[in-house]
Amino acid sequence: MSINSFGRLFRVSTWGESHGPAIGALVDGCPPRLALTEADIQPWLDKRRPGADPLSSPRAEPDRVRILSGTYQGRTTGTPISLLIDNVDARPADYPAGAPPRAGHADAAYQAKYGLRDPRGGGRASARETAARVAAGAVARLVIPEVRIEAKAIEIGGEADPARWPELIRAARTAGSSLGGLVECVATGVPAGWGAPIYAKLDAELAGALMSVNAVKAVGIGAGFGAARARGEDNADPALAGGVTGGIATGAPITLTVAFKPPASVPALGVTGRHDPCVALRGAPVIEAMVALVLADHKLLHRAQCGDGA
Amino acid sequence: MSINSFGRLFRVSTWGESHGPAIGALVDGCPPRLALTEADIQPWLDKRRPGADPLSSPRAEPDRVRILSGTYQGRTTGTPISLLIDNVDARPADYPAGAPPRAGHADAAYQAKYGLRDPRGGGRASARETAARVAAGAVARLVIPEVRIEAKAIEIGGEADPARWPELIRAARTAGSSLGGLVECVATGVPAGWGAPIYAKLDAELAGALMSVNAVKAVGIGAGFGAARARGEDNADPALAGGVTGGIATGAPITLTVAFKPPASVPALGVTGRHDPCVALRGAPVIEAMVALVLADHKLLHRAQCGDGA
Amino acid sequence: MSINSFGRLFRVSTWGESHGPAIGALVDGCPPRLALTEADIQPWLDKRRPGADPLSSPRAEPDRVRILSGTYQGRTTGTPISLLIDNVDARPADYPAGAPPRAGHADAAYQAKYGLRDPRGGGRASARETAARVAAGAVARLVIPEVRIEAKAIEIGGEADPARWPELIRAARTAGSSLGGLVECVATGVPAGWGAPIYAKLDAELAGALMSVNAVKAVGIGAGFGAARARGEDNADPALAGGVTGGIATGAPITLTVAFKPPASVPALGVTGRHDPCVALRGAPVIEAMVALVLADHKLLHRAQCGDGA
Amino acid sequence: MSINSFGRLFRVSTWGESHGPAIGALVDGCPPRLALTEADIQPWLDKRRPGADPLSSPRAEPDRVRILSGTYQGRTTGTPISLLIDNVDARPADYPAGAPPRAGHADAAYQAKYGLRDPRGGGRASARETAARVAAGAVARLVIPEVRIEAKAIEIGGEADPARWPELIRAARTAGSSLGGLVECVATGVPAGWGAPIYAKLDAELAGALMSVNAVKAVGIGAGFGAARARGEDNADPALAGGVTGGIATGAPITLTVAFKPPASVPALGVTGRHDPCVALRGAPVIEAMVALVLADHKLLHRAQCGDGA
C-alpha cells in the first residue's frame, strides 16, 4: 500500500536521498532462522556500486551495508531487518537550492506533485536508491535458494556485441551523450505453482517491479513484443510464454527483457554532475534484485494459501 | 494485497468463472455523490462483448450489468458498489471434468498451484473475467472526468493497415490458427503530479495492470523498447518519456503500447470451443479499463497525500 | 487496506445495504480443496437470523446464502468465493428520503462524511451487514478445523442469570427501551505461534475486529479491565494473559469479553421500525465469525512466514 | 499488511531490538511541506523516556532521535522519513543466550513462532519499541494540527488519587511486585466525517492500535464496558458513544479508556533486570502517539475518498 514499500509478505521499504546522510532498506516478513550477515549482502552491492569500473559514474561510494536489527547470532529472527548504507561521497553543495529542473529528469514532476523538492542530485529520484533494492534483494535470495536469477545486458546503444560496448560508451561520453540498452533476465528453478491469478499474476508483478527501476521504459516476458507477430500454433513453444501462464509459474525458466533509456544527465542537455553514460550495465544487478523480491514474496504467498506441500 | 483485488484506494475485486452462474466486480472506495446507474456502465461492456462482431467468439453473452449496492437515487454513497453480470450462454457441459490440460493455457499451472481446477472454459483464467474489469473501469472513469483514455489496435498479425485485418483474421480462423497484435493506449488530461515515486510509480503500476490482462506479453511506455536505442539528447523529446518521469505524471499525454499474443485456443493445438481468433481487438476496451482503474486510484492517492489543491 | 475488506490473506469484503436488493461477502485467498457447499454456511446464518426467536427483531429474512463462484464440485478452487444473500423482507418505503438523522445512530456521521446517505434502515450501517460477516466466518471455520470458537452472552441488562433475560428484554421493549450486554468468547485449539508481533498482534487484531461489530463499545482479553488492578505476580496465572503474549498465541485458550451497548432504535428516542431490544444475544454468532476470520488469516500469515512445520 | 507497519496512507514501520545497536521508525506517506526537525520529535520522546523519573526503569537512554531522510531545509518532502534512535545503555551481556523463557513474557511465544529468539531483554517484544512509536506519533501530530490529544493515568493499582501513586509504586517495587493501571485518552477537534464504515471503523482501528501497545489488555470507547449496563434511552447522551458512531467521528471529543496489566518483569516471578514497576504512567505518551497515528491516517483516508472540502 505504501508508496515506498514493495511486496506483500516479504516486504521491503526503502528510504533515503542521494545526497543525504544515508540510505536504507527495511525488510519485513523475512522467514526466521536463515543465516544472514553483512557478508551475504555486500557482494551484490559491490556488483552495482558506482566507480567500480571506468565506464560508470566516478562517484566513489563504498556502499558498506550494516544490519541494525532482525538478526541474532547470525540468523534472522523473523523481526524487521534494518539495513543502512552511509552516503560517503555525497556532495550536496553541487546542487544549489534554486537550481531549475533538469531536462528529462523527475525534477519538475516532483515539484508539481509535492510543491517542493530536494534538488541534491535528484534526491529520492536518484538511481542511488537502487542500492537499497539490491541490499534487500540479497536477503530475498536467501529465501529462495531453489531459484537462480541471472540478468545481463544483451544490447547497448543498438549493439549486441559486448566487445564493442566500451568503445561505444566512451564515444557517447566524449560526445556529451549517453546510451540506452537491453537487459535480459532469466530465473530458473521457480517451482510450478508460484504466482497467482488475475491481479497478482507473477508476470504482472514482475513487469511492475521492473518498470519501477529508474530509466526502464519497457518490459516483456517470453516472446515479449515479438508475441504480437506470433501465430496461435506458436503457443506450443514454451518460450512464447516465458515460464508463466495465467499468472502462475509453469516450472520452465522465466525469461524477461527490459529496455533502459539513455540517462538524461548529459552535457548535451546542459546537465553537469557525476553520472553514468549507460545504466543498462549497472542496472542488471538491480533487475536481479527486483526479480528476487517478487519471487520471495510469491513463495510466501503461495505457501500461505496452498501450504508447503502444494 | 489480495490476489483478486486491484488498487489501493479505488479498489476493485472481481470474481466468477467463465461457466459459473455469474461474474462480478466489487468496487470499494469510490467517492460519494457521483451520478451512477447501469446506463453508465453498459456501453463499455457492449464494446467488449463477445459476439458483437463476426470476427470475435460466437459465444452470445448480453453482459447486462446490475448494480446491487452502493448507490441511492442514482448517486454513489461511498459504500461498496457490487456489480453483477449473469453468465447466460455458459455451456459447462462442453468441458468434462476429466479433460487434460490444454496446450498454451493456464490449465496445467492452475492444477500445479491448487491441486485441482475448474475445467469449464478455463474457469477463472478465462478472458471472460475481463468483463468485470470493464464494468469496474466504467465506474473509475466517473472518478476522473478530467482524463480521456483511448486504446486501439495498431497492428494485427504484423499488419498495420486496419483494412487488411478482417481478411487476415478470417484466414487465420480458417487455418485453425490465431493472431497476435499491438494495442496503443493514450491517456490525455492527466494532471502533472499524479503518480508516486519508487514502488508506486505510475508507469510501474500501469505496466503491472496491463500485463495482468490475459494474453499480454509486453508493455512499453513512451518510446518503449525503442528507448534502448535512443541517445541521451533524445530525452529532450517528451515523447521518449511518454508522460511519466520519476513515476510521476508530467501533464503530457501518457502513451502506452501493449503486445497481445495469439490465443492458444485454436484447432491447430487441438483445442475446441468458442474462441476469438484475435484478442487484440476486443482487448482494447480492457486496456482502457485498466488504465482508468490505475488513474482513479492515483487521483485519490495523490489527493490523500497532497490535498485537493496541490 | 480497503475500508470494506477484512484480513490480509484470508480476505473478506462485504457489500450491501439493509434495504437494497441483496447483501454479500466476497472471500479471497481461501485455500483450495476444502469441501464447501451452502450447507456449510447456512446453519451459522440461521443462528444469527432475525425473527428466529420472539425476543429479536420481527423482520423476517430467510437469509438463504448462494455460492456464485470459487467452488467446483463442492470443493474450493482457490479463487474468490462470492456469497450472496437476497434481502427478502426489505421495506424501503418505511424510510422516506427526507427523514432527519435518528438520535444515537450513524445517520448524521454518514451524512457528514459523504454528504449524502441511504436512509433506508441505516443503509450500510445496519446490523444486517453482519449477516455477510457470519457467512464469511463460516468459510473461515473450514480453514481452521483445529480451533473451536464459542461465544455466548454472559450478562444482559446487568443481569448474569440467563433465566431472567427474557423477562428483562420484554420489559425493556414494553418500556420503549433496550438493553446492553456482555458477550464472552473462547477460542480453544489455537496453536502456539499463531499471531505476530507489534502491529499485527493477535490480540490487537481481535480487538479491532470485535470493535468493528455494530454496538460494541469495549473489548478485553484475559483479565481485561481487571488487569488494571492485578499485581505483578498475577502474571504467573495464564488467565491474566488470555492466551496471547507479545501478540502471539501461547497455546492456551484465548478468552475475550465484549460489551454491547443497548440499541438506539427505540421508541424512547423517537425511532420506529423493526429492531432488536437487545443485540448481545444475536451478536454472539457475529463475534464468533469475526474471531474465526482473524484466526484463519493468522493461520495463513504464520504459514507464510514460518512454514507448515514451524 | 506487513506485520511491523501501521497505517494505510500515513504509514509507519518500526524496527529494532531492545539491546541491539539502534531502533527506528520509517514514516511513509507524510504530506509534503510540513515544518519538521528533530526538535519537533524530541520533546515527545523525553516524556516517554526511561530514567526520567525515580518511579520508572533505571535504564538510562537519552533517546536522541535523528532524521536521516525525507526532509529538506526543515520541511517534509513527501518522501520517507527515516528516524533513528541509538541504543546507548544496552546491556546485551545481561541476557545470556541459553536463558529460559521468563514467566509472563513473550519469550516462549516468540520461541514457538520462530523457532529461535533474541533473548536480550525481550528483543523486539521489549517496550523499548514504543519509543519508535512515539517518534512517529510526533510526526503524525504535525499532520493533524486541528486535533488535540491528551492521555493520562486515571488509576494505578486500583487507586484513583494520584497523590497516593508514588507511595503505592514504591511499595510494589519493594515487595518485588508491580502494578497495573488505567489510562484515559481524549482527542478533541476531530472533524465529523473522519473514520470509515465497517472494517475501517475509527473506533475499531483505535481499539486495535491501543491493544497493540505492550501490556494493554482492554480498550473501551465512550461508556466502554459500562455501555453493557446502559439502556436504550442513554443513547441520547453523546458520552455513551464517545465521539464515534457507525465508525465515523461525530465531531464530539473521542474518549478512550485503556487497561494496562502490571509488568511481569518482577522479582516475585524470578525475573531480574531494569524494569518499570508500573507502565501505565509511561504508557500515556505511547497511547497518545497511537491515537495520533490512527487519526493522521484517517485524515488522509477521508481526504482521498471525499476530498478536502467534504
Side-chain angles (χ1 to χ4, degrees), chain A residues 1 30-31 78 300 303-305 308, chain C residues 1 30 78 300 303-305 308:
Chain A
M1 172 69 194
C30 186
L300 302 191
R303 185 158 75 180
Q305 188 178 19
D308 270 335
Chain C
M1 173 67 194
C30 186
L300 303 190
R303 186 157 74 179
Q305 186 177 20
D308 271 336

Side-chain angles (χ1 to χ4, degrees), chain C residues 82-164:
Chain C
S82 179
L83 305 174
L84 189 138
I85 302 168
D86 287 307
N87 285 335
V88 170
D89 192 17
R91 298 188 190 168
D94 285 4
Y95 303 91
R102 297 164 298 168
H105 286 73
D107 297 353
Y110 270 64
Q111 184 75 38
K113 182 170 192 67
Y114 297 120
L116 87 176
R117 67 190 167 91
D118 182 339
R120 301 168 299 174
R124 179 92 180 121
S126 163
R128 177 140 189 75
E129 184 270 341
T130 60
R133 302 186 188 216
V134 170
V139 181
R141 286 175 191 267
L142 303 176
V143 177
I144 48 168
E146 60 273 68
V147 177
R148 178 186 179 93
I149 302 168
E150 285 190 297
K152 61 172 192 292
I154 57 169
E155 187 188 296
I156 298 290
E159 172 61 56
D161 178 2
R164 294 209 51 225

Side-chain angles (χ1 to χ4, degrees), chain B residues 25 34 38 40 54 91 101 127-129 142 194-195 198 206:
Chain B
L34 301 176
E38 280 88 349
D40 295 296
R91 300 188 190 168
R128 178 143 187 73
E129 185 270 339
L142 304 177
W194 288 12
I198 312 303
L206 286 165

Side-chain angles (χ1 to χ4, degrees), chain D residues 105-129:
Chain D
H105 287 73
D107 298 354
Y110 269 65
Q111 185 74 39
K113 180 169 193 67
Y114 297 119
L116 89 175
R117 67 188 167 93
D118 181 338
R120 301 168 299 172
R124 179 93 180 120
S126 164
R128 179 143 187 73
E129 185 269 340

Side-chain angles (χ1 to χ4, degrees), chain B residues 1 30 78 300 303-305 308, chain D residues 1 30-31 78 300 303-305 308:
Chain B
M1 172 69 192
C30 186
L300 303 190
R303 184 158 75 180
Q305 188 178 19
D308 269 336
Chain D
M1 169 71 193
C30 186
L300 303 190
R303 185 158 74 179
Q305 187 178 18
D308 271 336

Side-chain angles (χ1 to χ4, degrees), chain C residues 10-14 24-27 41 44-45 65 81 83 85 130-143 289-290 292-293 296, chain D residues 199:
Chain C
F10 187 89
R11 186 167 179 87
V12 174
S13 305
T14 65
L26 183 58
V27 179
I41 303 173
W44 304 103
L45 282 169
V65 66
I81 302 165
L83 305 174
I85 302 168
T130 60
R133 302 186 188 216
V134 170
V139 181
R141 286 175 191 267
L142 303 176
V143 177
M290 295 310 294
L293 291 176
Chain D
Y199 302 114

